């Protein structure tokens, strides 16, 4: 029988993100010796940098640009990448692609995949329901020249099903492979970057190889959809709308580059906040947009309403893997999960007991303090868990750094609560009951063979060597 604990995910320390490395921290005031004179660098209200020499002469400095590759090569920060000037993936870039996409012969098919967390964030901003926001965003994006608007809840169904299978496999080989468990989730690129750079070889075997919903959608759009449409993958420009900047880093990983076709599975990632900027730059308020029917090809919808997954608003991995494992391994049908809150609300656990013995022990660890504690426990051989849903952001993906910021005077915790409620208002979907996904497993994935199917649904991680410049923070 499942142990039942009280407690739901609550909002705690909203700022427990990874701290940016020294290289990426903006200087507030820098004094620089120029020969004998001293020059000061000051930041203007518009964010520009001005060098002021001793006799008061001012000179505007060029902004240093950090590309995604620089960012990936750095051994310091990754998450909370607001301070990183990302040039390849931005709403300006998307506007550019859409405006230049008029030549019929060279026209790209533009696909946008919306995350449910971004829909909820924009819904809270405009006072709409999450589904209504999706319908209106579909109208807005199509008015700009987007051809299809999909939903990453659909690709998340693949991620959840693969995670369930992977957990069963790891559980069954836990006696032979001492790093089979705990299985640590992999959908959060902030956590993955941290793991690769700070705990490399030790931690990577524990991390689930299952692709995140964004990269599952990458496979679906650039491989399956392209083939169905008689297109090559480069003829599709695939954009995702995500709650954080870290997803840009995920999309730019070399593992998700289709070398033969010289294209990425996801070409551009924009955040919820950037979608808001696009609306504002086009002088459009979503409240004035006429909603249109949702694209159903790769969307989790029932009629005109989106379906989402039960469990956390970071994807519900713990929820779905726990329920499946309890049933498959111990014949227990679990209808509802409630969690025991440990040292803080961002660290929760749940267990399944049989005859007073814990047979399954799962946890959710959000925010870097909890992640660091988890890693330390693992290193000391003191982790009691079989599975951990790991997310870099405190409170998870609804609190991602790319979500719409609170309006002037708006309380951030209240906004977060509102976004959470809107996210959870979507009707729940059960991954195992999704007939469209089951059909794709049978047709598409069986036809490509098991090795190729594995590539399309899974990925791998790599130890990243630390830079030794003396400035990198010790984690
Ligand atoms: Fe992005 Fe979610 Fe990870 Fe935050 S927890 S960095 S929003 S994937």
């Amino acid at each position: 029988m499942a142990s039942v604990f009280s407690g739901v995910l609550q909002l705690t320390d909203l700022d427990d993100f990874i701290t940016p490395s020294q290289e990426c921290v903006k200087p507030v005031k820098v004094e620089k010796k120029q020969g004998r004179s001293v020059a000061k660098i000051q930041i203007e209200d518009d964010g520009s940098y001005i060098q002021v020499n001793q006799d008061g002469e001012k000179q505007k400095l060029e902004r240093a640009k950090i590309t995604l590759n620089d960012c990936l090569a750095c051994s310091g920060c990754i998450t909370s990448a607001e301070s990183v000037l990302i040039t390849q993936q931005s709403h300006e870039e998307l506007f550019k692609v859409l405006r230049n996409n008029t030549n019929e012969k060279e026209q790209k098919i533009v696909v946008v995949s919306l995350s449910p967390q971004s829909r909820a964030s924009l819904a809270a901003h405009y006072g709409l329901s999450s589904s209504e926001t999706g319908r209106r965003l579909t109208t807005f994006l199509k008015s700009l020249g987007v051809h299809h608007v999909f939903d990453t809840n659909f690709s998340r169904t693949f991620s959840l099903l693969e995670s369930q299978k992977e957990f069963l496999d790891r559980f069954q080989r836990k006696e032979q492979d001492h790093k089979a468990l705990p299985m640590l989730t992999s959908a959060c690129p902030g956590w993955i970057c941290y793991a690769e750079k700070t705990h490399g070889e030790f931690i990577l075997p524990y991390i689930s190889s299952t692709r995140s919903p964004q990269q599952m959608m990458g496979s679906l759009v650039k491989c399956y959809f392209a083939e169905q449409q008689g297109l090559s993958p480069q003829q599709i420009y695939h954009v995702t709308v995500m709650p954080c900047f870290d997803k840009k880093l995920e999309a730019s990983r070399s593992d998700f580059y289709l070398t033969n076709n010289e294209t990425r599975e996801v070409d551009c990632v924009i955040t919820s906040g950037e979608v808001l900027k696009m609306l504002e730059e086009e002088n459009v308020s979503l409240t004035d947009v006429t909603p249109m029917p949702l694209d159903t090809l790769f969307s989790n919808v029932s009629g005109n309403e989106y379906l989402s997954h039960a469990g956390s608003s970071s994807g519900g991995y713990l929820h779905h893997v726990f329920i499946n494992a309890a049933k498959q391994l111990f014949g227990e049908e679990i209808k509802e999960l409630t969690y025991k809150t440990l040292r803080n609300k961002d660290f929760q656990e749940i267990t399944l007991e049989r005859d007073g013995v814990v047979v399954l022990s799962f946890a959710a660890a959000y925010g870097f303090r909890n992640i660091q504690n988890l890693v330390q426990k693992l290193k000391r051989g003191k982790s009691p868990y079989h599975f951990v849903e790991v997310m870099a952001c405190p409170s998870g993906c609804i609190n991602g750094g790319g979500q719409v910021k609170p309006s002037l005077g708006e309380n951030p915790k209240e906004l977060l609560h509102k976004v959470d409620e809107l996210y959870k208002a979507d009707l729940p979907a059960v991954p195992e009951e999704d007939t469209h996904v089951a059909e794709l497993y049978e047709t598409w994935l069986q036809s490509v063979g098991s090795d190729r199917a594995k590539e399309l649904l899974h990925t791998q991680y790599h130890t990243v060597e630390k830079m030794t410049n003396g400035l990198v923070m010790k984690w």
Side-chain angles (χ1 to χ4, degrees):
M1 177 190 133
S3 308
V4 177
F5 297 101
S6 62
V8 289
L9 190 67
Q10 289 179 27
L11 313 174
T12 49
D13 180 359
L14 303 184
D15 297 319
D16 181 23
F17 296 97
I18 266 187
T19 314
S21 74
Q22 300 291 335
E23 293 90 329
C24 297
V25 178
K26 282 183 186 171
V28 176
K29 185 180 171 190
V30 182
E31 291 202 354
K32 182 177 108 175
K33 292 209 172 184
Q34 281 191 325
R36 285 199 192 143
S37 63
V38 174
K40 287 181 181 176
I41 296 173
Q42 65 188 42
I43 301 174
E44 300 293 279
D45 290 344
D46 65 356
S48 59
Y49 292 82
I50 304 289
Q51 180 175 303
V52 189
N53 68 20
Q54 233 179 5
D55 38 25
E57 196 184 316
K58 291 186 175 182
Q59 188 192 346
K60 192 167 177 176
L61 297 176
E62 271 195 31
R63 248 171 201 273
K65 290 201 173 175
I66 300 169
T67 67
L68 282 177
N69 285 339
D70 296 328
C71 200
L72 285 167
C74 162
S75 296
C77 84
I78 275 302
T79 196
S80 294
E82 289 103 327
S83 57
V84 177
L85 300 171
I86 290 169
T87 55
Q88 292 170 339
Q89 303 193 50
S90 62
H91 75 287
E92 285 103 343
E93 185 65 24
L94 174 56
F95 267 137
K96 215 190 287 172
V97 169
L98 290 168
R99 282 171 192 147
N100 295 333
N101 201 27
T102 48
N103 181 334
E104 249 180 60
K105 280 191 188 154
E106 291 168 14
Q107 197 184 45
K108 294 207 175 210
I109 298 300
V110 183
V111 172
V112 174
S113 301
L114 284 176
S115 70
Q117 294 89 356
S118 297
R119 258 193 294 120
S121 177
L122 286 154
H125 182 83
Y126 286 106
L128 299 166
S129 77
S130 184
S131 284
E132 187 67 16
T133 301
R135 291 193 288 270
R136 290 175 190 232
L137 279 175
T138 304
T139 308
F140 171 67
L141 291 165
K142 290 194 172 178
S143 76
L144 297 177
V146 170
H147 298 90
H148 302 274
V149 180
F150 298 145
D151 160 32
T152 60
N153 270 325
F154 182 77
S155 51
R156 191 206 275 158
T157 299
F158 284 91
S159 301
L160 292 171
L161 292 172
E162 287 303 306
S163 297
Q164 290 173 338
K165 287 184 213 162
E166 187 182 343
F167 180 75
L168 296 182
D169 173 60
R170 283 172 174 262
F171 193 88
Q172 269 141 6
R173 63 179 158 85
K174 68 180 189 309
E175 304 305 337
Q176 302 83 49
D177 178 357
H178 74 286
K179 287 207 168 179
L181 297 179
M183 173 168 138
L184 309 176
T185 57
S186 60
C188 170
W191 145 240
I192 294 300
C193 287
Y194 166 75
E196 287 182 327
K197 289 180 174 181
T198 57
H199 300 289
E201 273 168 32
F202 169 76
I203 205 84
L204 299 186
Y206 294 108
I207 298 180
S208 161
S209 65
T210 298
R211 282 178 177 231
S212 70
Q214 170 172 279
Q215 295 311 140
M216 285 287 186
M217 194 57 111
S219 285
L220 277 163
V221 168
K222 288 284 179 117
C223 301
Y224 177 74
F225 178 69
E227 200 184 310
Q228 294 295 303
Q229 302 290 309
L231 299 167
S232 68
Q234 325 69 314
Q235 288 175 289
I236 299 176
Y237 187 75
H238 183 202
V239 184
T240 59
V241 179
M242 289 286 146
C244 67
F245 294 86
D246 301 55
K247 286 285 173 186
K248 298 179 191 240
L249 301 167
E250 180 181 77
S252 70
R253 288 172 72 87
S254 56
D255 308 270
F256 304 128
Y257 184 74
L258 303 173
T259 313
N260 292 344
N261 303 100
E262 298 181 341
T263 186
R264 296 199 177 281
E265 293 175 356
V266 177
D267 297 283
C268 180
V269 179
I270 56 169
T271 62
S272 323
E274 284 176 284
V275 172
L276 180 62
K277 268 192 209 155
M278 289 177 77
L279 286 154
E280 287 170 353
E281 285 173 24
E282 292 290 299
N283 289 319
V284 172
S285 165
L286 265 197
T287 48
D288 301 329
V289 172
T290 309
M292 72 187 292
L294 301 170
D295 279 350
T296 53
L297 185 59
F298 293 149
S299 296
N300 224 351
V301 293
S302 167
N304 241 343
E305 299 291 319
Y306 283 96
L307 302 175
S308 195
H309 299 106
S312 71
S313 48
S314 301
Y317 288 87
L318 185 158
H319 181 102
H320 292 282
V321 175
F322 187 85
I323 286 182
N324 184 261
K327 187 173 174 188
Q328 301 297 331
L329 297 169
F330 301 101
E332 297 277 357
E333 294 272 356
I334 312 265
K335 293 274 176 256
E336 203 176 320
L337 279 75
T338 42
Y339 302 90
K340 178 182 180 184
T341 297
L342 298 182
R343 65 182 69 204
N344 56 60
K345 305 287 186 220
D346 275 327
F347 203 125
Q348 302 193 330
E349 67 174 31
I350 184 162
T351 55
L352 178 76
E353 287 179 18
R354 276 223 154 161
D355 305 323
V357 176
V358 172
V359 289
L360 283 180
S361 178
F362 280 35
Y366 290 4
F368 272 87
R369 239 162 285 159
N370 290 324
I371 291 176
Q372 280 171 321
N373 283 335
L374 172 71
V375 173
Q376 290 317 318
K377 270 191 184 167
L378 268 171
K379 285 193 166 171
R380 291 199 297 267
K382 300 252 188 255
S383 163
Y385 305 116
H386 296 113
F387 178 97
V388 187
E389 182 177 295
V390 186
M391 295 288 158
C393 295
S395 300
C397 293
I398 47 154
N399 187 33
Q403 295 285 66
V404 175
K405 302 284 174 248
S407 310
L408 202 65
E410 192 173 21
N411 181 313
K413 284 196 179 183
E414 278 171 21
L415 173 62
L416 194 54
H417 183 69
K418 212 191 296 178
V419 177
D420 194 36
E421 297 278 296
L422 284 160
Y423 176 93
K424 289 181 177 151
D426 280 350
L427 297 168
V430 179
E432 296 91 319
E433 292 172 7
D434 191 315
T435 51
H436 188 180
V437 169
E439 190 190 308
L440 284 171
Y441 266 101
E442 269 185 33
T443 53
W444 172 45
L445 292 164
Q446 275 196 14
S447 72
V448 296
S450 59
D451 287 350
R452 179 71 183 130
K454 198 164 180 222
E455 280 170 19
L456 291 162
L457 302 173
H458 290 257
T459 185
Q460 49 199 325
Y461 313 101
H462 321 274
T463 301
V464 177
E465 289 303 320
K466 263 184 172 295
M467 277 161 60
T468 49
N469 59 8
L471 284 172
V472 177
M473 291 175 77
K474 173 137 179 63
W475 298 102

